[in-house]
Amino acid sequence: MKRSRTFSALVAFVSLFLIFFYSTLHPETTYSLRAGPANLLKHSTLQVHIRDGKSQASKQESVIILPPAVHNVSVSDGLRHTIPQNGAYWNRLLYLAFKNLDREENPFGHNSDWSLCRQTKQEHLQTNMHDFTSYPFLFQDFLQGMNCSSPPVLLNQPNKCPFGDGKNNNNNQTFLLFTIKSTPRNFEQRQAVRETWGREGMYKSGLRVRTVFLLGSSPLEDPDLSALLAFEARQFGDLLQWDFHESLLNLTLKMYMFIQWTVKYCPEASFVFSGDDDVFVNTPKLLSYLQSLEPSKASRLYAGQVISEATPLRDPKNKYYIPLSFYDGPYPPYAGGGGFIISGALMQGLYSASSVIPFFPMDDVYAGMCFKALGVSPETHQDFKTFDIKDQDRENLCVIKNLILIHRRSPHQIKKLWKGIHNPLLTC
Ligand SMILES: *[C@@H]1O[C@H](CO)[C@@H](O)[C@H](O)[C@H]1NC(C)=O
Ligand SMILES: *[C@@H]1O[C@H](CO)[C@@H](O)[C@H](O)[C@H]1NC(C)=O
Ligand SMILES: *[C@@H]1O[C@H](CO)[C@@H](O)[C@H](O)[C@H]1NC(C)=O
């Protein structure tokens, strides 16, 4: 009698344990079911293969091999060393993606069906992040849409970069593509950029510069600017817009879209700039820097102002708040999102890395993670100032003439600085 009671207590205990165990492992059990078909570009032949090592140790170093034309991309080693495996939700999602890669299963968490990707149940998120309900509202919202990666295209420029049957006249090939994060209402900023540092055309030594602005959609409460934007897009041919709401936490999605767009529509660009519409760029200086690079450097460049030892901010009131139960670990070194430069040759690898690594709510940190996965370290360039420069230098043209990028300028200041650094009478 006594024995059978002990036995049923044991059974009850074991089942409780199993229930608990499965509920904590929930993402794992649903992962492979949920992983939809990879959201691949039709024309690109991106595929994921696994090269299995013989021993346990080399298994750690599974490699994503892209088709012959593209160099091999190892997605896991560097990132595995940087990001700890622990109980935080994002960390678990990442290791789940690694595991699926190792097992040759579909590692892609991104959901290609935009209308279904937000159907995650609240309970799922609550089970996985015990304090989910105390997360700031926008953060909860980010989590619900975390797998959404294929917003409808509202404005496109498929012919932006004329490419590439190889017979293309060299001077049509894009040397530098500016991709500039903007928002629907920032018309004045875009115009200032078009008239100054983002001007498209041929620069010294026949270097071709092209520009696109990246837009999401306005919040519903805002006035409808779509007719104006359609006009602007026709007039200037430089707007890309997707149907997701503009917000800080959607910037990673915007980045994913621009990577995808570049791989598809501007694959021959030698360099790609990613940055904000309120920075000032000294384009001639940037071009001569890029032109001076050794070929080995030029094909693996990720440069800007590097933030090398950052960790998540845990104050819920901070704009960049990251809850501990969501992410636990340091950030890999990354280039400040105000403006950085990438080799065009890395875009395809970046695209495959960003198709595997779950979206992280800070776009520049996310870029750092993807580059880490590619084994590319960000390089500090002293002349990128994504944080502000000394007050007394803010208007000093002699200082600014020697910088490549300065953070945060109004459209008016951008025009003034551009004119200033081009003034032949400027003596420094
Ligand atoms: C996102 O996808 C992963 C992997 O498929 C899954 O485990 C997770 O529950 C999904 N998250 C949301 C919020 O839908
Ligand atoms: C160069 O690009 C323009 C469009 O920007 C196109 O009209 C022209 O035919 C192209 N020239 C060559 C040689 O490809
Ligand atoms: C991101 O965009 C989606 C789609 O428009 C929207 O539902 C969501 O609220 C946005 N996310 C945030 C955090 O604003």
Side-chain angles (χ1 to χ4, degrees), residues 31-111:
Y31 186 91
S32 47
L33 294 176
R34 281 184 160 275
N39 179 21
L40 301 179
L41 299 174
K42 275 206 201 80
H43 89 288
S44 94
T45 43
L46 177 73
Q47 280 166 7
V48 177
H49 302 288
I50 311 296
R51 193 205 280 148
D52 251 342
K54 276 160 237 115
S55 66
Q56 200 49 30
S58 58
K59 195 160 193 287
Q60 285 269 314
E61 302 183 0
S62 43
V63 165
I64 289 194
I65 300 173
L66 295 171
V70 194
H71 45 53
N72 294 352
V73 181
S74 94
V75 156
S76 38
D77 336 343
L79 205 56
R80 270 186 176 144
H81 292 139
T82 314
I83 295 178
Q85 182 167 17
N86 54 36
Y89 184 60
W90 194 92
N91 302 60
R92 277 187 286 149
L93 287 180
L94 180 71
Y95 278 86
L96 204 49
F98 287 156
K99 195 153 110 196
N100 289 344
L101 268 180
D102 290 347
R103 288 200 201 124
E104 300 195 41
E105 274 168 25
N106 182 359
F108 298 82
H110 303 325
N111 192 320

Coordinates of all heavy atoms in Angstrom, one line a residue, residues 31-111:
Y31 N 9.9 24.7 -33.1 CA 10.8 25.4 -34.1 C 10.7 24.8 -35.4 O 10.4 25.4 -36.4 CB 12.3 25.3 -33.6 CG 13.2 26.1 -34.5 CD1 13.5 27.4 -34.2 CD2 13.7 25.4 -35.6 CE1 14.3 28.1 -35.1 CE2 14.6 26.1 -36.4 CZ 14.8 27.5 -36.2 OH 15.6 28.2 -37.0
S32 N 10.9 23.4 -35.5 CA 11.0 22.9 -36.8 C 9.6 22.9 -37.5 O 9.6 22.9 -38.7 CB 11.6 21.4 -36.7 OG 10.9 20.8 -35.7
L33 N 8.6 22.8 -36.7 CA 7.3 22.9 -37.3 C 7.0 24.2 -37.9 O 6.4 24.4 -38.9 CB 6.2 22.6 -36.2 CG 6.2 21.2 -35.7 CD1 5.2 21.0 -34.6 CD2 5.9 20.2 -36.8
R34 N 7.4 25.2 -37.2 CA 7.1 26.6 -37.6 C 8.0 27.1 -38.7 O 7.6 27.9 -39.5 CB 7.3 27.5 -36.4 CG 6.2 27.5 -35.5 CD 6.3 28.5 -34.4 NE 5.0 28.7 -33.7 CZ 4.2 29.6 -34.2 NH1 4.5 30.3 -35.3 NH2 3.0 29.8 -33.6
A35 N 9.2 26.6 -38.7 CA 10.1 27.1 -39.7 C 9.5 26.9 -41.1 O 9.4 25.8 -41.6 CB 11.5 26.4 -39.6
G36 N 9.1 28.0 -41.6 CA 8.5 27.9 -43.0 C 9.6 27.8 -44.0 O 10.8 27.7 -43.7
P37 N 9.3 27.8 -45.3 CA 10.3 27.7 -46.3 C 11.1 28.9 -46.2 O 10.7 30.0 -45.9 CB 9.5 27.7 -47.6 CG 8.1 28.2 -47.2 CD 7.9 27.9 -45.8
A38 N 12.4 28.8 -46.4 CA 13.3 29.9 -46.3 C 12.9 31.0 -47.3 O 12.4 30.7 -48.4 CB 14.7 29.4 -46.7
N39 N 13.0 32.2 -46.8 CA 12.5 33.3 -47.6 C 13.7 33.7 -48.6 O 14.4 34.7 -48.4 CB 12.2 34.4 -46.7 CG 11.7 35.6 -47.4 OD1 11.3 35.5 -48.6 ND2 11.8 36.8 -46.7
L40 N 13.8 32.9 -49.6 CA 15.0 33.2 -50.5 C 14.6 34.0 -51.7 O 13.5 33.9 -52.2 CB 15.5 31.8 -50.9 CG 16.0 30.9 -49.8 CD1 16.5 29.6 -50.4 CD2 17.1 31.6 -49.0
L41 N 15.6 34.6 -52.2 CA 15.3 35.4 -53.4 C 15.2 34.4 -54.6 O 15.9 33.4 -54.6 CB 16.5 36.3 -53.7 CG 16.8 37.3 -52.6 CD1 18.0 38.0 -52.9 CD2 15.6 38.3 -52.6
K42 N 14.3 34.7 -55.5 CA 14.1 33.7 -56.6 C 15.4 33.5 -57.4 O 15.7 32.5 -57.8 CB 13.0 34.2 -57.4 CG 11.6 33.8 -56.9 CD 10.6 33.7 -58.1 CE 9.2 33.8 -57.5 NZ 8.8 35.1 -57.3
H43 N 16.0 34.7 -57.7 CA 17.1 34.5 -58.7 C 18.4 34.1 -58.0 O 19.3 33.6 -58.7 CB 17.3 35.8 -59.4 CG 18.3 36.7 -58.7 ND1 17.9 37.4 -57.6 CD2 19.6 37.1 -58.9 CE1 19.0 38.1 -57.1 NE2 20.0 37.9 -57.9
S44 N 18.4 34.2 -56.7 CA 19.7 33.8 -56.1 C 19.6 32.3 -55.7 O 18.6 31.8 -55.6 CB 20.0 34.6 -54.8 OG 19.5 34.0 -53.7
T45 N 20.8 31.7 -55.7 CA 20.8 30.3 -55.5 C 21.3 30.0 -54.1 O 21.9 29.0 -53.8 CB 21.7 29.6 -56.5 OG1 22.9 30.5 -56.6 CG2 21.1 29.5 -57.8
L46 N 21.0 30.9 -53.2 CA 21.4 30.7 -51.8 C 20.9 29.3 -51.3 O 19.8 29.0 -51.3 CB 20.9 31.8 -50.9 CG 21.2 31.7 -49.4 CD1 22.6 32.0 -49.1 CD2 20.3 32.6 -48.6
Q47 N 21.8 28.5 -50.8 CA 21.4 27.3 -50.2 C 22.3 27.0 -49.0 O 23.3 27.6 -48.8 CB 21.8 26.1 -51.2 CG 20.7 26.0 -52.3 CD 21.2 25.1 -53.4 OE1 22.3 24.5 -53.3 NE2 20.4 25.1 -54.5
V48 N 21.7 26.2 -48.1 CA 22.5 26.0 -46.9 C 22.9 24.5 -46.9 O 22.0 23.6 -47.0 CB 21.7 26.3 -45.7 CG1 22.4 25.9 -44.4 CG2 21.3 27.8 -45.7
H49 N 24.1 24.2 -46.8 CA 24.6 22.9 -46.7 C 25.4 22.8 -45.4 O 26.0 23.8 -45.0 CB 25.5 22.5 -47.9 CG 24.9 22.6 -49.2 ND1 23.9 21.8 -49.6 CD2 25.1 23.6 -50.1 CE1 23.6 22.2 -50.8 NE2 24.2 23.3 -51.2
I50 N 25.5 21.6 -44.9 CA 26.4 21.5 -43.8 C 27.6 20.6 -44.1 O 27.4 19.6 -44.7 CB 25.6 20.8 -42.6 CG1 24.2 21.4 -42.4 CG2 26.4 20.8 -41.4 CD1 24.3 22.8 -42.0
R51 N 28.7 21.1 -43.6 CA 29.9 20.2 -43.8 C 30.2 19.7 -42.4 O 30.6 20.4 -41.5 CB 31.0 21.1 -44.3 CG 32.2 20.2 -44.8 CD 33.4 21.0 -44.7 NE 33.6 21.9 -45.8 CZ 34.2 23.1 -45.7 NH1 34.7 23.5 -44.5 NH2 34.4 23.9 -46.7
D52 N 29.9 18.4 -42.2 CA 30.1 17.9 -40.9 C 31.5 17.5 -40.6 O 32.2 16.8 -41.4 CB 29.2 16.6 -40.7 CG 28.0 17.0 -39.8 OD1 28.1 18.0 -39.0 OD2 27.0 16.2 -39.8
G53 N 32.0 17.9 -39.4 CA 33.3 17.5 -39.0 C 33.3 16.1 -38.5 O 32.3 15.5 -38.3
K54 N 34.5 15.5 -38.3 CA 34.6 14.1 -37.9 C 34.4 14.0 -36.4 O 33.6 13.2 -35.9 CB 35.9 13.5 -38.3 CG 35.9 13.0 -39.7 CD 37.4 12.8 -40.2 CE 37.6 13.6 -41.4 NZ 38.6 14.7 -41.3
S55 N 35.0 14.9 -35.7 CA 35.0 14.9 -34.2 C 34.0 15.9 -33.7 O 33.5 16.7 -34.4 CB 36.3 15.2 -33.7 OG 36.6 16.5 -33.9
Q56 N 33.7 15.7 -32.4 CA 32.8 16.6 -31.8 C 33.3 18.1 -31.9 O 32.5 19.0 -32.1 CB 32.7 16.2 -30.3 CG 31.5 16.7 -29.5 CD 30.2 16.4 -30.3 OE1 30.1 15.5 -31.0 NE2 29.3 17.3 -30.0
A57 N 34.6 18.2 -31.7 CA 35.2 19.6 -31.8 C 35.0 20.2 -33.1 O 34.7 21.4 -33.2 CB 36.7 19.5 -31.4
S58 N 35.2 19.5 -34.2 CA 35.1 20.1 -35.5 C 33.6 20.3 -35.9 O 33.3 21.1 -36.7 CB 35.9 19.4 -36.5 OG 35.5 18.1 -36.6
K59 N 32.8 19.5 -35.2 CA 31.4 19.6 -35.5 C 30.9 21.0 -35.1 O 30.0 21.6 -35.7 CB 30.6 18.6 -34.7 CG 29.2 18.4 -35.2 CD 28.6 17.0 -34.7 CE 27.4 16.7 -35.4 NZ 26.2 17.4 -35.1
Q60 N 31.5 21.5 -34.0 CA 31.2 22.9 -33.6 C 31.4 23.9 -34.7 O 30.8 24.9 -34.7 CB 32.2 23.3 -32.5 CG 31.9 22.7 -31.1 CD 31.0 23.5 -30.3 OE1 31.2 24.7 -30.3 NE2 30.0 23.0 -29.7
E61 N 32.2 23.5 -35.7 CA 32.5 24.5 -36.7 C 31.8 24.2 -38.0 O 32.4 24.3 -39.1 CB 34.0 24.5 -36.9 CG 34.7 24.9 -35.6 CD 36.2 25.0 -35.7 OE1 36.7 24.8 -36.9 OE2 36.8 25.2 -34.7
S62 N 30.6 23.9 -37.9 CA 29.8 23.6 -39.1 C 29.8 24.9 -39.9 O 29.8 26.0 -39.4 CB 28.4 23.2 -38.8 OG 27.9 23.9 -37.8
V63 N 29.7 24.8 -41.2 CA 29.9 25.9 -42.1 C 28.8 25.9 -43.1 O 28.4 24.9 -43.6 CB 31.3 25.6 -42.9 CG1 31.4 26.6 -44.1 CG2 32.5 25.8 -42.0
I64 N 28.3 27.1 -43.3 CA 27.3 27.3 -44.4 C 28.0 27.5 -45.6 O 28.8 28.4 -45.8 CB 26.4 28.5 -44.1 CG1 25.5 28.2 -43.0 CG2 25.6 28.8 -45.4 CD1 24.3 29.2 -42.9
I65 N 27.8 26.6 -46.6 CA 28.5 26.7 -47.8 C 27.6 27.3 -48.9 O 26.5 26.7 -49.1 CB 29.1 25.4 -48.3 CG1 30.1 24.9 -47.2 CG2 29.8 25.6 -49.6 CD1 30.6 23.5 -47.5
L66 N 27.9 28.4 -49.4 CA 27.1 29.0 -50.5 C 27.6 28.4 -51.8 O 28.6 27.8 -51.9 CB 27.3 30.5 -50.4 CG 26.7 31.0 -49.1 CD1 27.0 32.5 -49.0 CD2 25.2 30.8 -49.0
P67 N 26.7 28.6 -52.8 CA 27.1 28.0 -54.1 C 28.4 28.6 -54.6 O 28.9 29.6 -54.2 CB 26.0 28.5 -55.0 CG 25.0 29.2 -54.2 CD 25.5 29.2 -52.8
P68 N 29.0 27.9 -55.6 CA 30.4 28.1 -56.0 C 30.8 29.6 -56.2 O 31.8 30.0 -55.8 CB 30.5 27.4 -57.4 CG 29.4 26.4 -57.3 CD 28.4 26.8 -56.3
A69 N 29.9 30.4 -56.7 CA 30.2 31.8 -57.0 C 30.5 32.6 -55.7 O 31.2 33.6 -55.8 CB 29.1 32.4 -57.8
V70 N 29.9 32.1 -54.6 CA 30.0 32.9 -53.4 C 31.0 32.2 -52.5 O 31.0 31.0 -52.4 CB 28.6 33.0 -52.7 CG1 28.7 34.1 -51.7 CG2 27.6 33.3 -53.8
H71 N 31.8 32.9 -51.8 CA 32.7 32.3 -50.9 C 32.0 31.6 -49.7 O 30.9 31.9 -49.4 CB 33.7 33.3 -50.4 CG 33.1 34.6 -49.9 ND1 32.1 34.7 -49.1 CD2 33.4 35.9 -50.3 CE1 31.8 35.9 -48.9 NE2 32.5 36.7 -49.6
N72 N 32.7 30.7 -49.1 CA 32.2 30.0 -48.0 C 31.9 30.9 -46.8 O 32.7 31.8 -46.5 CB 33.1 28.9 -47.5 CG 33.3 27.9 -48.6 OD1 32.6 27.9 -49.6 ND2 34.2 27.0 -48.3
V73 N 30.8 30.7 -46.1 CA 30.5 31.5 -45.0 C 30.3 30.6 -43.8 O 29.5 29.7 -43.8 CB 29.2 32.2 -45.3 CG1 28.8 33.1 -44.1 CG2 29.2 33.0 -46.5
S74 N 31.1 30.8 -42.8 CA 30.9 30.0 -41.6 C 30.0 30.8 -40.6 O 30.3 31.9 -40.3 CB 32.2 29.7 -40.9 OG 32.5 30.7 -39.9
V75 N 28.9 30.2 -40.3 CA 27.9 31.0 -39.6 C 28.0 30.9 -38.1 O 27.6 31.7 -37.4 CB 26.5 30.7 -40.1 CG1 25.5 31.0 -39.1 CG2 26.2 31.6 -41.3
S76 N 28.7 29.8 -37.6 CA 28.5 29.7 -36.2 C 29.7 29.9 -35.3 O 29.6 30.5 -34.3 CB 28.0 28.3 -35.9 OG 28.6 27.4 -36.8
D77 N 30.9 29.6 -35.7 CA 32.1 29.6 -34.8 C 32.2 30.9 -34.0 O 32.1 30.9 -32.8 CB 33.4 29.4 -35.4 CG 33.3 28.6 -36.7 OD1 32.2 28.0 -37.0 OD2 34.3 28.6 -37.5
G78 N 32.4 32.0 -34.7 CA 32.7 33.3 -34.0 C 31.5 33.6 -33.1 O 31.7 34.1 -31.9
L79 N 30.3 33.5 -33.6 CA 29.2 33.9 -32.8 C 29.0 33.0 -31.6 O 28.6 33.4 -30.5 CB 28.0 33.8 -33.8 CG 26.8 34.7 -33.4 CD1 27.2 36.1 -33.3 CD2 25.7 34.5 -34.4
R80 N 29.2 31.7 -31.8 CA 29.1 30.8 -30.7 C 30.1 31.1 -29.5 O 29.7 31.0 -28.4 CB 29.5 29.3 -31.1 CG 28.3 28.6 -31.6 CD 28.7 27.2 -31.9 NE 27.4 26.5 -32.3 CZ 27.4 25.5 -33.2 NH1 28.4 25.1 -33.8 NH2 26.2 25.0 -33.5
H81 N 31.2 31.7 -29.9 CA 32.2 32.0 -28.8 C 31.7 33.3 -28.2 O 32.1 33.5 -27.0 CB 33.6 32.2 -29.4 CG 34.1 30.9 -29.8 ND1 34.9 30.7 -31.0 CD2 34.0 29.6 -29.3 CE1 35.2 29.4 -31.1 NE2 34.7 28.7 -30.1
T82 N 31.0 34.2 -28.9 CA 30.7 35.5 -28.3 C 29.4 35.4 -27.5 O 29.3 36.0 -26.4 CB 30.4 36.5 -29.4 OG1 31.5 36.4 -30.3 CG2 30.3 37.9 -28.8
I83 N 28.4 34.6 -28.0 CA 27.1 34.6 -27.4 C 26.9 33.4 -26.6 O 26.9 32.3 -27.1 CB 26.0 34.8 -28.4 CG1 26.3 36.2 -29.0 CG2 24.6 34.7 -27.8 CD1 25.3 36.6 -30.1
P84 N 26.7 33.5 -25.2 CA 26.6 32.4 -24.4 C 25.3 31.6 -24.6 O 24.3 32.2 -25.0 CB 26.7 32.9 -23.0 CG 26.3 34.4 -23.1 CD 26.7 34.8 -24.5
Q85 N 25.4 30.3 -24.4 CA 24.2 29.5 -24.4 C 23.6 29.5 -23.0 O 24.2 29.0 -22.1 CB 24.6 28.1 -24.9 CG 23.4 27.1 -25.0 CD 23.8 25.9 -25.8 OE1 25.0 25.5 -25.9 NE2 22.8 25.1 -26.2
N86 N 22.5 30.0 -22.9 CA 21.8 30.0 -21.6 C 20.3 30.1 -21.7 O 19.8 29.8 -22.8 CB 22.3 31.2 -20.8 CG 22.2 32.6 -21.5 OD1 21.2 32.7 -22.2 ND2 23.1 33.5 -21.4
G87 N 19.6 30.4 -20.7 CA 18.2 30.3 -20.7 C 17.4 31.4 -21.3 O 16.2 31.4 -21.5
A88 N 18.1 32.5 -21.6 CA 17.4 33.7 -22.2 C 16.8 33.3 -23.5 O 17.4 32.5 -24.3 CB 18.3 34.9 -22.3
Y89 N 15.7 33.9 -23.8 CA 14.9 33.5 -25.0 C 15.7 33.6 -26.3 O 15.8 32.6 -27.1 CB 13.6 34.3 -25.1 CG 12.7 33.9 -26.2 CD1 12.1 32.7 -26.2 CD2 12.3 34.9 -27.2 CE1 11.2 32.3 -27.2 CE2 11.4 34.5 -28.2 CZ 10.9 33.2 -28.2 OH 10.0 32.9 -29.2
W90 N 16.2 34.8 -26.5 CA 16.9 35.0 -27.8 C 18.1 34.0 -27.9 O 18.4 33.5 -29.0 CB 17.4 36.4 -27.9 CG 17.8 36.8 -29.3 CD1 17.0 37.3 -30.3 CD2 19.1 36.6 -29.9 NE1 17.8 37.5 -31.4 CE2 19.1 37.1 -31.2 CE3 20.4 36.2 -29.4 CZ2 20.1 37.1 -32.1 CZ3 21.5 36.1 -30.3 CH2 21.3 36.6 -31.6
N91 N 18.9 33.9 -26.8 CA 20.0 33.0 -26.8 C 19.6 31.6 -27.2 O 20.2 30.9 -28.0 CB 20.7 32.9 -25.4 CG 21.2 34.3 -25.0 OD1 20.4 35.2 -24.9 ND2 22.5 34.4 -24.8
R92 N 18.4 31.1 -26.6 CA 17.9 29.8 -27.0 C 17.5 29.7 -28.4 O 17.8 28.7 -29.1 CB 16.7 29.5 -26.1 CG 17.1 28.9 -24.7 CD 15.9 28.5 -23.9 NE 15.1 29.6 -23.5 CZ 13.8 29.6 -23.3 NH1 13.1 28.5 -23.6 NH2 13.2 30.6 -22.8
L93 N 16.9 30.8 -29.0 CA 16.5 30.7 -30.4 C 17.8 30.6 -31.2 O 17.8 29.9 -32.2 CB 15.8 32.0 -30.8 CG 14.3 32.1 -30.3 CD1 13.7 33.5 -30.8 CD2 13.5 31.0 -30.8
L94 N 18.8 31.3 -30.9 CA 20.1 31.3 -31.7 C 20.6 29.9 -31.7 O 21.0 29.3 -32.7 CB 21.1 32.3 -31.1 CG 22.4 32.3 -31.9 CD1 22.2 32.9 -33.3 CD2 23.5 33.0 -31.2
Y95 N 20.7 29.2 -30.5 CA 21.3 27.9 -30.4 C 20.4 26.9 -31.1 O 20.9 25.9 -31.6 CB 21.7 27.6 -29.0 CG 23.0 28.2 -28.6 CD1 23.1 29.5 -28.2 CD2 24.2 27.5 -28.9 CE1 24.4 30.1 -28.0 CE2 25.5 28.1 -28.7 CZ 25.5 29.4 -28.3 OH 26.7 30.0 -28.1
L96 N 19.2 27.1 -31.1 CA 18.2 26.3 -31.8 C 18.5 26.4 -33.3 O 18.5 25.3 -34.0 CB 16.8 26.8 -31.5 CG 15.7 25.9 -31.7 CD1 16.0 24.6 -30.9 CD2 14.5 26.6 -31.1
A97 N 18.8 27.6 -33.7 CA 19.1 27.7 -35.2 C 20.4 27.0 -35.5 O 20.5 26.3 -36.5 CB 19.2 29.2 -35.5
F98 N 21.4 27.1 -34.6 CA 22.7 26.4 -34.8 C 22.4 24.9 -34.9 O 23.0 24.2 -35.7 CB 23.6 26.6 -33.6 CG 24.3 28.0 -33.6 CD1 24.7 28.5 -32.4 CD2 24.4 28.7 -34.8 CE1 25.3 29.8 -32.4 CE2 24.9 30.0 -34.7 CZ 25.4 30.5 -33.5
K99 N 21.6 24.4 -33.9 CA 21.3 23.0 -33.8 C 20.7 22.5 -35.1 O 21.0 21.5 -35.7 CB 20.4 22.7 -32.6 CG 20.4 21.3 -32.2 CD 20.0 21.1 -30.8 CE 18.6 20.5 -30.6 NZ 18.1 20.7 -29.3
N100 N 19.7 23.3 -35.6 CA 19.1 22.9 -36.9 C 20.0 22.9 -38.0 O 19.9 22.1 -38.9 CB 17.9 23.8 -37.1 CG 16.7 23.5 -36.2 OD1 16.7 22.4 -35.5 ND2 15.8 24.4 -36.1
L101 N 21.0 23.9 -38.0 CA 22.0 23.9 -39.0 C 22.8 22.6 -39.0 O 23.1 22.0 -40.0 CB 22.9 25.1 -38.8 CG 22.7 26.4 -39.5 CD1 23.7 27.4 -39.1 CD2 22.6 26.2 -41.0
D102 N 23.2 22.3 -37.7 CA 24.1 21.1 -37.6 C 23.3 19.8 -38.0 O 24.0 18.9 -38.5 CB 24.4 20.9 -36.1 CG 25.4 22.0 -35.6 OD1 26.0 22.6 -36.5 OD2 25.7 22.1 -34.4
R103 N 22.0 19.8 -37.8 CA 21.3 18.6 -38.2 C 20.8 18.7 -39.7 O 19.9 18.0 -40.1 CB 20.0 18.6 -37.4 CG 20.2 18.2 -36.0 CD 18.8 17.7 -35.5 NE 18.6 17.8 -34.1 CZ 17.6 18.5 -33.5 NH1 16.7 19.2 -34.2 NH2 17.5 18.4 -32.2
E104 N 21.3 19.7 -40.4 CA 20.8 20.0 -41.7 C 19.4 20.2 -41.8 O 18.7 19.9 -42.8 CB 21.2 18.8 -42.7 CG 22.7 18.5 -42.7 CD 23.1 17.6 -43.8 OE1 22.6 17.8 -44.9 OE2 24.0 16.8 -43.6
E105 N 18.8 20.7 -40.8 CA 17.4 21.1 -40.9 C 17.3 22.5 -41.2 O 18.2 23.3 -41.1 CB 16.7 20.8 -39.5 CG 16.2 19.4 -39.4 CD 15.8 19.1 -38.0 OE1 15.4 20.0 -37.3 OE2 15.8 17.9 -37.7
N106 N 16.1 22.9 -41.6 CA 15.9 24.3 -42.0 C 16.2 25.2 -40.8 O 15.4 25.2 -39.8 CB 14.5 24.5 -42.4 CG 14.2 25.9 -42.9 OD1 15.1 26.7 -42.8 ND2 13.0 26.1 -43.3
P107 N 17.2 26.1 -40.8 CA 17.5 26.9 -39.7 C 16.7 28.2 -39.6 O 16.8 29.0 -38.7 CB 19.0 27.2 -39.9 CG 19.2 27.2 -41.4 CD 18.2 26.3 -41.9
F108 N 15.9 28.4 -40.7 CA 15.3 29.7 -40.8 C 14.1 29.9 -39.9 O 13.1 29.2 -40.1 CB 15.0 30.0 -42.3 CG 16.1 29.9 -43.2 CD1 16.6 28.7 -43.7 CD2 16.8 31.1 -43.6 CE1 17.7 28.7 -44.5 CE2 17.9 31.0 -44.4 CZ 18.3 29.8 -44.9
G109 N 14.3 30.9 -39.0 CA 13.1 31.2 -38.1 C 12.2 32.1 -38.8 O 11.0 32.2 -38.5
H110 N 12.7 32.9 -39.7 CA 11.9 33.9 -40.3 C 10.7 33.3 -41.1 O 10.9 32.3 -41.7 CB 12.7 34.8 -41.3 CG 13.9 35.4 -40.7 ND1 13.9 35.9 -39.4 CD2 15.1 35.7 -41.2 CE1 15.1 36.4 -39.2 NE2 15.8 36.3 -40.2
N111 N 9.6 33.9 -41.0 CA 8.4 33.4 -41.6 C 8.1 34.1 -42.9 O 8.1 35.4 -42.9 CB 7.3 33.6 -40.6 CG 6.1 32.8 -41.0 OD1 5.7 32.7 -42.2 ND2 5.4 32.2 -40.0

